[in-house]
Amino acid sequence: MYRILIVEDDRGIAEAIRTQAGMWDLEARCVRNFRDVMAEFSEWDPHLVLLDITLPFFNGYHWCSRIRQVSKVPILFISSASDNMNIIMAMNMGADDFIAKPFDGSVLMAKINALLRRTYDFTGAVPVLQHRGALLNTGDNSLTYQGKEIPLSKNEYRILLTLLESKGSVVSREKLMEKLWQTDSFVDENTLSVNVGRLRRKLEAAGLAGFIETKFGVGYIVK
C-alpha cells in the first residue's frame, strides 16, 4: 500500500483528503507538527507528498526544498495560490505537479495515482529503494544520503538491498547468508557479522545512526 504524507494546515481539507485516499487503497497521514515537517517525513517515509504553499512557520517552498535535499519522492502541490508565478516557483523548487484549490477529489486522486504509477510501476531498469532519506539505486548499486554517496562493498550492498526489500520485517541471518552465498566466496556467521558491523559504521558516519537494528536470536531490521 502506498503511503501519502499530507502537509496541509486546514484540518478539514487534510482529513477529507486522508479519507478519500483510504477509499483508493492509499494510506495517508496528516502532518501535525508544522515546525518540523521533516521529522514526520522521515518517520512516515511516504511514497508521495501533498504540500500546501501557505503553512505555519515555514511555507511549502521551504519544505519542498528540504525534502529534495534527501529524497526524490513525488511532490504534488495543492494550493489556492495558483497564479502562474506560484506554479512556476513550485516546479522550479522540485515539485512534480500542481493542483489548484478548490479541487475535485476525484481529480486529485487521479493525479496522485498517475504520479505513483509513473514513479513506482514503470521505473524501468533503475529502481530506487528509499528509507529515512537514504536512496539505494539498484541500477548502479550506489547508496546516497543528503546528496553524498556512501561507498558499499558487494556484500554490504546485498545486505542492505535484502533489508530494504523487506522493510518493516525482520530478516533472518540465514536469509542474509543465502543472499551473500550468491557471491563467489563462502560466507559463515562470523563473515555476516563483520559485514553488518562495517555497514553500520559507514551508515552512522554518514548520519544514519540506528539504521540497522539487531533482533537478537532472529536477525536484523531497518529502522
Side-chain angles (χ1 to χ4, degrees), residues 7-9 11 31-38 40 51-63 66:
V7 190
E8 164 64 69
D9 62 322
R11 190 55 54 191
V31 163
R32 297 285 180 178
N33 180 10
F34 291 95
R35 286 185 182 273
D36 192 1
V37 170
M38 292 307 295
E40 297 196 37
L51 187 57
D52 193 7
I53 293 177
T54 305
L55 296 167
F57 308 110
F58 302 97
N59 64 28
Y61 299 134
H62 170 84
W63 294 119
R66 289 287 306 279

Side-chain angles (χ1 to χ4, degrees), residues 8 51-55 59-61 77-90 98-103:
E8 164 64 69
L51 187 57
D52 193 7
I53 293 177
T54 305
L55 296 167
N59 64 28
Y61 299 134
F77 268 90
I78 48 173
S79 178
S80 56
S82 57
D83 57 275
N84 287 343
M85 184 58 69
N86 278 295
I87 295 174
I88 292 169
M89 181 77 166
F98 192 110
I99 186 168
K101 296 177 186 176
F103 48 76

Side-chain angles (χ1 to χ4, degrees), residues 5-201:
L5 183 67
I6 304 169
V7 190
E8 164 64 69
D9 62 322
D10 185 313
R11 190 55 54 191
I13 293 175
E15 289 296 336
I17 295 172
R18 187 182 66 80
T19 299
Q20 187 152 29
M23 296 168 62
W24 286 72
D25 293 325
L26 301 171
E27 192 174 3
R29 175 184 290 188
C30 303
V31 163
R32 297 285 180 178
N33 180 10
F34 291 95
R35 286 185 182 273
D36 192 1
V37 170
M38 292 307 295
E40 297 196 37
F41 174 85
S42 297
E43 179 186 356
W44 186 233
D45 193 20
H47 295 97
L48 181 143
V49 176
L50 291 178
L51 187 57
D52 193 7
I53 293 177
T54 305
L55 296 167
F57 308 110
F58 302 97
N59 64 28
Y61 299 134
H62 170 84
W63 294 119
C64 182
S65 177
R66 289 287 306 279
I67 290 169
R68 279 291 168 259
Q69 291 175 15
V70 300
S71 175
K72 297 179 181 178
V73 65
I75 297 174
L76 172 57
F77 268 90
I78 48 173
S79 178
S80 56
S82 57
D83 57 275
N84 287 343
M85 184 58 69
N86 278 295
I87 295 174
I88 292 169
M89 181 77 166
M91 304 307 280
N92 286 341
M93 294 296 289
D96 295 276
D97 206 344
F98 192 110
I99 186 168
K101 296 177 186 176
F103 48 76
D104 182 278
S106 297
V107 173
L108 175 63
M109 290 300 122
K111 281 183 172 284
I112 288 173
N113 280 289
L115 269 175
L116 291 171
R117 284 196 304 272
R118 287 201 299 270
T119 306
Y120 302 104
D121 291 352
F122 306 112
T123 50
V126 192
V128 174
L129 299 176
Q130 173 187 298
H131 185 61
R132 283 176 52 184
L135 304 174
L136 185 67
N137 188 320
T138 62
D140 60 12
N141 297 6
S142 66
L143 176 67
T144 57
Y145 178 64
Q146 295 185 341
K148 297 181 180 179
E149 184 170 339
I150 303 169
L152 298 177
S153 70
K154 184 188 299 184
N155 281 349
E156 290 163 359
Y157 168 76
R158 282 196 168 98
I159 291 169
L160 193 55
L161 175 64
T162 305
L163 292 174
L164 288 174
E165 286 177 336
S166 302
K167 186 165 62 175
S169 302
V170 177
V171 179
S172 69
R173 292 177 61 86
E174 290 76 15
K175 181 176 180 179
L176 286 172
M177 285 190 287
E178 286 175 9
K179 290 290 185 179
L180 299 190
W181 179 248
Q182 296 171 11
T183 65
D184 55 4
S185 59
F186 175 73
V187 176
D188 59 16
E189 291 221 17
N190 184 59
T191 303
L192 175 62
S193 297
V194 169
N195 278 274
V196 171
R198 186 182 299 120
L199 175 58
R200 273 195 174 121
R201 288 192 292 275

Side-chain angles (χ1 to χ4, degrees), residues 170 173 196 200 210-223:
V170 177
R173 292 177 61 86
V196 171
R200 273 195 174 121
F211 197 88
I212 299 175
E213 180 177 304
T214 301
K215 295 295 183 181
F216 291 101
V218 184
Y220 303 95
I221 185 172
V222 290
K223 299 291 284 185

